Amino acid sequence: MNQTEQQTIRLTSEIAVEPIQQMGGDHMIVAAARVSTSGPEALEYADEARRDEGAGLINYLLKHRHGTPFEHAAMTFFCHAPLFVWREWHRHRVGFSYNEESGRYKQLEPVFWVPRRERLMVVPPKHKPARPVYLPLEDDAAYEALIERSRHVYQTCYDAYLADIEAGFALEVARRSLPLAIYSSCWVTCNPRSLMHFLSLRTHDTEAAFVSYPQAEIEEAARLLERIFAAGWPLAYQAFVKNGRIAP
Amino acid sequence: MNQTEQQTIRLTSEIAVEPIQQMGGDHMIVAAARVSTSGPEALEYADEARRDEGAGLINYLLKHRHGTPFEHAAMTFFCHAPLFVWREWHRHRVGFSYNEESGRYKQLEPVFWVPRRERLMVVPPKHKPARPVYLPLEDDAAYEALIERSRHVYQTCYDAYLADIEAGFALEVARRSLPLAIYSSCWVTCNPRSLMHFLSLRTHDTEAAFVSYPQAEIEEAARLLERIFAAGWPLAYQAFVKNGRIAP
Amino acid sequence: MNQTEQQTIRLTSEIAVEPIQQMGGDHMIVAAARVSTSGPEALEYADEARRDEGAGLINYLLKHRHGTPFEHAAMTFFCHAPLFVWREWHRHRVGFSYNEESGRYKQLEPVFWVPRRERLMVVPPKHKPARPVYLPLEDDAAYEALIERSRHVYQTCYDAYLADIEAGFALEVARRSLPLAIYSSCWVTCNPRSLMHFLSLRTHDTEAAFVSYPQAEIEEAARLLERIFAAGWPLAYQAFVKNGRIAP
Amino acid sequence: MNQTEQQTIRLTSEIAVEPIQQMGGDHMIVAAARVSTSGPEALEYADEARRDEGAGLINYLLKHRHGTPFEHAAMTFFCHAPLFVWREWHRHRVGFSYNEESGRYKQLEPVFWVPRRERLMVVPPKHKPARPVYLPLEDDAAYEALIERSRHVYQTCYDAYLADIEAGFALEVARRSLPLAIYSSCWVTCNPRSLMHFLSLRTHDTEAAFVSYPQAEIEEAARLLERIFAAGWPLAYQAFVKNGRIAP
């Protein structure tokens, strides 16, 4: 195969988050918390059928910032997102494990991110960088121009990447040309406590006790994680929302 | 109930470790590692039926200290051990979560540790504190004396504890009299990577690349954890042993 | 020396915290935060003389929970406290480092804690364990009895400890008899972020956004740490207090 | 200013690491370790003048993997490196703190990485991706072509970035076009233990007990860190090298 022939690049706006496995549930959080006061008898609460008994306790734990019981559960996700999302995500160090596609060992696929048409992305006249709130893009032509500019840049980058590889250069040298828009896959494992911390910083919610201003794309990932969390740990999730979206 | 009546104390040497839940297995470690080179296709390996294909890779990961794939699995244990064991155990900070019986909220049970008859516990003539290796106790009478001394101390402590409580003192004040031999329950959640780190420091194995000299009681707990790990992650466990019992 | 001769025990209520070393100051927090927007120029702010310029920024960081700049500073303390304090303290895993006196390698000194006369320590009629608020002890005789009971227990424990040691038993076996009131020394290293987290959980302040109910003795240690923090990082400290004593 | 006028980009191969502050030294590691056996008296060793007494102990700590004493010291660096280096560096979660230039809040400078002429970068005929060892590039013309290709790609990317900004798009959207070769500044704080872990994985040394195969650019940063560490903690550093470059 002659890799220097221009390879077709793919543009997308999709962020993917798929659950791989999970452990525990609300009942395990409850049972772990009950060890404090019940010792060995707490095991009796480690029973999914008794989950609903724990609603009050879970709310209490979140309200008073007792965080450790939320670490006795875990979940793993497959996530597919552009590098600028991973750059932010990987800054979460505590309670997060990662294994990502390697640009040293693997030729990356030519899949690149472009903003959705409706994404708020125009800087307003009175812009506060620390609390970024953007405007919609009115002009369809400007969006088309953005997409065309993106396509041109990505193709240029990926062509150079392939040219390097064909010329015998190491992948680790060739990848320097790839743009932050390129996608990468990563497995992410966390627990309800670390996940709530992530959600508190990576979702924007005007009802939150501390309002965060995340970039829309990491928020898109966060909202997908949030849905999986809400389904697997409904009591913890409701208590998280009710108590101002602050991680305990 | 008149709590000042002397309550019967119980002596034991047992350390209990019981599995509560686990997530993942060797196949998940393999699949997480394959994300580096296979990206989204790595998901195909997340299949228990394909576990045995991964033996070589898991060995490679341990041999070359690639640790992160071992974080995409988890396990929770119920453990019952004396406080001097918990004091050591809780020093493991990374990849370990704990919820322990609270001496502020709960009256602790009068269960106390004594050494088994066969425990190596006599200081040898040429003792190196940093590499403690003890001798067996030859003298049955000395053992009996130790047990009687223990019983007397524990009873004195626990009587004072109950006397405080009956006099209206807070549990948090009363517990000052309890000895390190008293038992406590704790839930422990960790992952294969943090567990291997624990095993490398808390088991004594003359075949290990770095030989550790743990106290016998935390080693007893560690050996029970090791058995559960070996059953749930046989490939990771074998590779751990084969590669000098060093956590990746 | 005949160690079985009863050794005089010492009773105290003192918790000691002494600063050993520190790194950084408010200006380093400011400079680290300014890397976001100024890149290499942020270094210009790493100047103690410019500290006061940073007051607004530090307040902003705390208000909006931007925590990482508070990790570019550090402090080490020598602390002397009873074991029941260390049992709680060592549960702080993130951003805390410990080296403690070892009961396996060293014969512990016979120094034991007793409550101060004025400590609130009587359980009130309507006691909520999760929000423990105690009453003062009215009765001087009851206090005397508590001290005598303590002295008797501690002496009994320490005598047994020495008897074991003299009989040739390993320190790690002998220590089982020591009560939670015995003191231990520990070096603690942390950073302003982890310290603020500790203070938020280990001090009771009715003005705090989340009111905590710590045991008085760990609070005593926390208040000493707080004073050192306030002296070394006055802007960060003021902002912490002003923003509800929540760690960023 | 008309930002769409092509802005001149700058190419460089330099990785910069500059020390900002440090705390502790070999004597603090020694003193922290001596708390185990000396309790409060360990403070006497916290004296730079007594540093050399500690050589044997520090070697012992490294040889037997007693890691915690190496956490009672700290250092902060200013580092300037391309994004592909930061992507690897930020995966170090434990004992590492970061504040990096923000692509959301700041327009990034047009400084881009190219390989040095002498960098080993050609894939050999029998290439093992897991143990990458590259060949020198023989052909000067091929190097020139690589530089020209780089210049073209970087200019195309940066022009698109500026065009987006001028068209009113948010920086967070515009940055998608920037390549991994672009430089970013970051403050990094760590301690000797976490630094040794970093060095063990990010330097290639055939004498090491576990030989790592890092990318040359993160190794360049690691070697600069190593020099600062060696100057500030000479005993710890010598012991690290002597004991197979394994972090304790």
Side-chain angles (χ1 to χ4, degrees):
Chain A
M1 186 190 77
N2 182 355
Q3 283 180 307
T4 50
E5 284 185 39
Q6 219 187 49
Q7 196 168 325
T8 313
I9 65 172
R10 186 158 74 82
L11 304 189
T12 180
S13 304
E14 215 66 48
I15 310 286
V17 169
E18 289 163 34
I20 292 175
Q21 57 181 346
Q22 61 189 58
M23 176 179 94
D26 289 321
H27 59 293
M28 284 296 179
I29 294 168
V30 168
R34 288 210 183 276
V35 176
S36 301
T37 49
S38 307
E41 283 75 44
L43 266 171
E44 293 165 21
Y45 294 88
D47 175 355
E48 209 158 358
R50 299 185 64 175
R51 193 187 69 194
D52 294 341
E53 292 175 38
L57 176 57
I58 283 188
N59 191 58
Y60 172 86
L61 295 172
L62 267 156
K63 191 171 171 189
H64 295 286
R65 306 201 78 196
H66 294 298
T68 53
F70 296 92
E71 299 176 23
H72 299 284
M75 48 202 128
T76 300
F77 305 101
F78 168 82
C79 309
H80 191 238
L83 295 192
F84 61 81
V85 170
W86 289 118
R87 294 249 305 140
E88 295 190 336
W89 200 327
H90 288 159
R91 300 294 301 281
H92 292 257
R93 294 160 295 171
V94 178
F96 271 94
S97 299
Y98 306 104
N99 269 264
E100 192 195 351
E101 210 167 332
S102 166
R104 294 183 75 204
Y105 299 152
K106 177 176 182 298
Q107 185 173 315
L108 299 186
E109 296 299 314
V111 179
F112 300 90
W113 177 85
V114 286
R116 299 183 198 281
R117 177 67 187 86
E118 68 275 15
R119 188 197 195 278
L120 303 178
M121 54 188 159
V122 174
V123 179
K126 291 188 176 174
H127 179 52
K128 293 185 197 168
R131 257 164 295 172
V133 181
Y134 299 110
L135 304 176
L137 178 64
E138 304 282 318
D139 184 0
D140 281 341
Y143 183 69
E144 283 313 305
L146 180 94
I147 298 300
E148 277 325 295
R149 197 156 53 238
S150 301
R151 190 184 302 277
H152 174 64
V153 167
Y154 304 160
Q155 189 74 59
T156 303
C157 292
Y158 204 74
D159 287 351
Y161 176 62
L162 294 182
D164 269 16
I165 294 169
E166 195 179 9
F169 288 106
L171 286 172
E172 68 184 33
V173 169
R175 67 167 163 181
R176 77 191 179 288
S177 299
L178 296 174
L180 287 173
I182 201 167
Y183 274 72
S184 177
S185 301
C186 189
W187 277 35
V188 177
T189 293
C190 61
N191 62 52
R193 188 184 193 183
S194 57
L195 182 60
M196 287 187 282
H197 187 73
F198 183 87
L199 295 179
S200 76
L201 293 175
R202 303 302 184 179
T203 58
H204 175 74
D205 193 310
T206 53
E207 303 291 300
F210 294 90
V211 180
S212 293
Y213 292 82
Q215 181 159 348
E217 287 69 38
I218 198 165
E219 181 170 21
E220 188 172 332
R223 291 295 180 184
L224 294 167
L225 293 169
E226 185 164 340
R227 217 173 298 166
I228 297 166
F229 177 48
W233 289 266
L235 297 180
Y237 177 65
Q238 287 156 29
F240 170 65
V241 171
K242 187 175 161 191
N243 288 285
R245 299 179 70 90
I246 299 177
Chain B
M1 186 189 79
N2 181 356
Q3 284 181 306
T4 51
E5 284 184 39
Q6 219 186 48
Q7 195 168 326
T8 312
I9 65 173
R10 186 159 74 82
L11 304 188
T12 180
S13 303
E14 215 64 48
I15 311 286
V17 170
E18 289 163 34
I20 292 175
Q21 58 181 346
Q22 61 190 58
M23 175 180 92
D26 289 321
H27 59 292
M28 284 296 180
I29 295 168
V30 168
R34 287 208 184 277
V35 176
S36 301
T37 49
S38 307
E41 283 76 45
L43 267 171
E44 293 165 20
Y45 294 88
D47 175 355
E48 208 157 359
R50 298 185 65 176
R51 192 188 71 194
D52 293 341
E53 292 175 38
L57 176 57
I58 282 188
N59 191 58
Y60 173 85
L61 295 172
L62 267 156
K63 191 171 171 189
H64 296 284
R65 308 201 77 195
H66 295 299
T68 52
F70 296 92
E71 299 176 25
H72 299 284
M75 48 202 129
T76 301
F77 305 101
F78 167 82
C79 308
H80 192 237
L83 296 192
F84 61 83
V85 170
W86 290 119
R87 294 248 305 140
E88 295 190 336
W89 201 327
H90 288 159
R91 299 294 302 280
H92 292 257
R93 294 161 294 172
V94 179
F96 271 95
S97 299
Y98 307 103
N99 269 264
E100 193 195 350
E101 210 169 330
S102 165
R104 293 183 75 204
Y105 299 152
K106 178 178 183 298
Q107 184 173 316
L108 299 186
E109 296 298 314
V111 180
F112 300 90
W113 177 84
V114 286
R116 299 182 199 282
R117 177 67 188 87
E118 68 276 15
R119 189 198 194 278
L120 303 178
M121 53 188 159
V122 173
V123 179
K126 292 187 175 175
H127 179 52
K128 292 185 197 168
R131 257 165 295 171
V133 181
Y134 300 110
L135 305 175
L137 178 64
E138 303 282 319
D139 185 0
D140 282 340
Y143 184 69
E144 283 312 307
L146 181 93
I147 299 299
E148 277 325 295
R149 197 155 54 238
S150 301
R151 191 184 302 276
H152 174 64
V153 167
Y154 303 160
Q155 189 73 61
T156 302
C157 292
Y158 204 74
D159 287 350
Y161 177 61
L162 294 182
D164 270 16
I165 293 170
E166 196 181 8
F169 288 106
L171 287 171
E172 67 183 33
V173 169
R175 67 168 163 180
R176 77 192 180 288
S177 300
L178 296 174
L180 287 172
I182 202 167
Y183 274 72
S184 176
S185 301
C186 190
W187 277 36
V188 177
T189 293
C190 62
N191 62 53
R193 188 184 194 183
S194 57
L195 181 60
M196 286 188 282
H197 187 73
F198 184 87
L199 296 178
S200 77
L201 292 174
R202 304 301 185 181
T203 58
H204 175 73
D205 193 310
T206 53
E207 303 292 300
F210 294 90
V211 179
S212 293
Y213 293 82
Q215 180 158 349
E217 288 68 38
I218 198 166
E219 181 170 22
E220 188 172 333
R223 290 294 181 186
L224 293 167
L225 292 169
E226 184 163 341
R227 217 173 296 165
I228 298 167
F229 177 48
W233 289 266
L235 298 180
Y237 177 65
Q238 285 155 32
F240 171 64
V241 171
K242 188 175 161 191
N243 288 285
R245 299 179 69 90
I246 299 177
Chain C
M1 186 187 82
N2 181 354
Q3 283 181 307
T4 49
E5 284 185 38
Q6 220 186 50
Q7 197 169 322
T8 311
I9 65 173
R10 186 158 75 81
L11 305 189
T12 180
S13 303
E14 215 65 47
I15 310 287
V17 169
E18 290 162 33
I20 293 174
Q21 59 182 346
Q22 61 189 60
M23 176 180 93
D26 289 321
H27 59 294
M28 284 296 180
I29 294 168
V30 168
R34 288 209 183 276
V35 176
S36 302
T37 49
S38 308
E41 283 75 43
L43 267 172
E44 294 165 21
Y45 294 89
D47 176 355
E48 208 157 359
R50 298 185 63 176
R51 193 188 70 194
D52 294 341
E53 292 175 38
L57 176 57
I58 283 188
N59 189 58
Y60 173 85
L61 295 172
L62 266 156
K63 192 172 170 188
H64 295 286
R65 308 202 78 196
H66 294 298
T68 53
F70 297 92
E71 299 176 25
H72 299 284
M75 49 202 127
T76 301
F77 305 99
F78 168 82
C79 309
H80 191 237
L83 295 192
F84 61 83
V85 170
W86 290 118
R87 294 249 305 141
E88 295 190 335
W89 200 328
H90 288 159
R91 299 294 302 281
H92 291 257
R93 294 160 295 171
V94 179
F96 271 94
S97 298
Y98 307 103
N99 269 263
E100 193 195 351
E101 210 168 330
S102 165
R104 295 183 74 204
Y105 299 152
K106 178 177 183 297
Q107 185 174 315
L108 299 186
E109 296 298 314
V111 180
F112 300 90
W113 177 84
V114 286
R116 299 182 199 281
R117 177 67 187 88
E118 68 275 17
R119 187 197 196 279
L120 303 178
M121 53 188 159
V122 174
V123 179
K126 290 188 177 174
H127 179 52
K128 290 185 198 169
R131 258 165 295 172
V133 181
Y134 299 109
L135 304 176
L137 178 64
E138 304 281 322
D139 184 1
D140 281 340
Y143 183 69
E144 283 313 307
L146 181 93
I147 298 300
E148 277 326 295
R149 196 155 54 237
S150 300
R151 191 184 302 278
H152 173 64
V153 167
Y154 303 159
Q155 189 74 60
T156 303
C157 291
Y158 204 74
D159 287 351
Y161 178 61
L162 294 182
D164 269 16
I165 293 169
E166 196 180 7
F169 288 106
L171 287 171
E172 67 184 33
V173 169
R175 67 167 162 181
R176 77 191 180 288
S177 300
L178 296 174
L180 286 173
I182 201 166
Y183 273 72
S184 177
S185 300
C186 189
W187 277 36
V188 176
T189 293
C190 62
N191 63 51
R193 188 184 194 183
S194 57
L195 181 60
M196 287 187 281
H197 187 73
F198 184 86
L199 295 179
S200 76
L201 293 174
R202 303 302 184 178
T203 57
H204 175 74
D205 194 310
T206 52
E207 302 292 299
F210 294 90
V211 180
S212 292
Y213 292 82
Q215 181 159 348
E217 288 67 40
I218 198 165
E219 182 171 22
E220 188 172 334
R223 291 294 180 185
L224 294 166
L225 293 169
E226 184 164 341
R227 217 173 297 167
I228 298 167
F229 177 48
W233 290 266
L235 298 180
Y237 177 65
Q238 286 155 31
F240 171 64
V241 172
K242 187 175 160 190
N243 288 285
R245 299 178 70 89
I246 298 177
Chain D
M1 187 189 79
N2 181 354
Q3 284 181 308
T4 51
E5 283 185 39
Q6 218 186 51
Q7 196 168 325
T8 312
I9 65 172
R10 187 159 74 83
L11 305 189
T12 181
S13 304
E14 216 65 47
I15 311 286
V17 169
E18 291 163 33
I20 293 175
Q21 57 181 346
Q22 60 189 60
M23 176 180 93
D26 289 322
H27 59 292
M28 284 296 179
I29 295 168
V30 168
R34 287 209 184 278
V35 177
S36 302
T37 49
S38 307
E41 283 76 43
L43 266 171
E44 294 164 20
Y45 294 89
D47 175 355
E48 208 157 359
R50 300 185 63 176
R51 192 187 71 194
D52 294 341
E53 292 175 37
L57 176 58
I58 282 187
N59 190 58
Y60 172 85
L61 295 172
L62 266 156
K63 192 171 170 189
H64 295 286
R65 308 203 76 197
H66 295 299
T68 53
F70 297 92
E71 298 176 25
H72 299 283
M75 48 202 129
T76 301
F77 306 100
F78 167 83
C79 308
H80 193 237
L83 295 192
F84 61 83
V85 170
W86 289 119
R87 294 249 306 140
E88 294 191 336
W89 200 327
H90 288 159
R91 299 294 301 281
H92 291 258
R93 293 160 294 171
V94 179
F96 271 95
S97 298
Y98 307 103
N99 269 263
E100 193 194 350
E101 210 169 331
S102 165
R104 294 183 75 204
Y105 300 152
K106 178 177 182 297
Q107 184 173 316
L108 299 186
E109 296 298 314
V111 180
F112 300 91
W113 177 86
V114 287
R116 300 182 198 281
R117 177 66 187 85
E118 67 275 16
R119 188 198 196 278
L120 303 178
M121 53 187 159
V122 174
V123 179
K126 290 187 176 175
H127 179 52
K128 291 185 197 168
R131 256 164 296 173
V133 181
Y134 299 110
L135 304 176
L137 178 63
E138 303 282 320
D139 184 0
D140 282 341
Y143 183 70
E144 282 313 305
L146 180 93
I147 298 300
E148 278 325 295
R149 197 155 53 237
S150 301
R151 190 184 303 278
H152 173 63
V153 167
Y154 303 159
Q155 189 74 60
T156 303
C157 292
Y158 204 74
D159 287 350
Y161 177 61
L162 294 182
D164 270 15
I165 293 170
E166 195 181 8
F169 288 106
L171 287 171
E172 67 183 34
V173 169
R175 68 169 162 180
R176 78 193 180 287
S177 299
L178 296 174
L180 287 172
I182 201 166
Y183 273 72
S184 177
S185 301
C186 189
W187 277 36
V188 177
T189 293
C190 62
N191 63 52
R193 188 184 195 184
S194 56
L195 181 60
M196 287 187 281
H197 187 72
F198 184 86
L199 296 178
S200 75
L201 293 174
R202 303 302 184 178
T203 58
H204 175 73
D205 194 310
T206 53
E207 303 292 299
F210 293 90
V211 180
S212 293
Y213 293 82
Q215 180 158 349
E217 287 68 38
I218 198 165
E219 182 171 23
E220 189 172 332
R223 290 295 181 186
L224 293 166
L225 294 169
E226 183 164 342
R227 219 174 295 168
I228 297 167
F229 176 48
W233 289 266
L235 298 180
Y237 177 65
Q238 286 155 32
F240 171 65
V241 171
K242 189 175 161 190
N243 288 285
R245 300 179 69 90
I246 298 177

